[in-house]
Amino acid sequence: MSLEKLQEKLSSLSEETKSLYNKIDEKYQITINGEGAVELVDISNFKVLARGEKKIREAMKKLLEGAR
């Protein structure tokens, strides 16, 4: 996948997803895997927590609720 397509895919994330991402811990990253799917990854152990934007939003909401 080209860099332009990667940037396009990441920039197409919804405002809600971007807002949630800005609130979670830095050890969680949104990445794009080799198949072009968007994933939420815990980089401390390289575990994929969610795949697909809707599931990523749900996972980030759970992470934020647990942090309270």
Side-chain angles (χ1 to χ4, degrees), residues 20-29 40-41 63-64:
L20 288 168
Y21 180 72
N22 289 330
K23 295 176 184 175
I24 62 170
D25 192 312
E26 292 176 357
K27 76 176 193 171
Y28 304 106
Q29 298 290 312
L40 180 65
V41 178
L63 288 169
L64 289 169

Side-chain angles (χ1 to χ4, degrees), residues 18-55:
K18 291 176 187 177
S19 175
L20 288 168
Y21 180 72
N22 289 330
K23 295 176 184 175
I24 62 170
D25 192 312
E26 292 176 357
K27 76 176 193 171
Y28 304 106
Q29 298 290 312
I30 292 179
T31 63
I32 298 178
N33 69 12
E35 299 170 351
V38 180
E39 298 177 329
L40 180 65
V41 178
D42 179 343
I43 60 172
S44 66
N45 61 11
F46 298 104
K47 182 178 179 185
V48 175
L49 303 176
R51 184 172 289 129
E53 187 173 0
K54 182 178 178 183
K55 292 190 182 209

Side-chain angles (χ1 to χ4, degrees), residues 53-66:
E53 187 173 0
K54 182 178 178 183
K55 292 190 182 209
I56 287 172
R57 277 195 309 269
E58 293 169 359
M60 287 190 294
K61 286 177 183 176
K62 287 180 183 177
L63 288 169
L64 289 169
E65 288 173 2

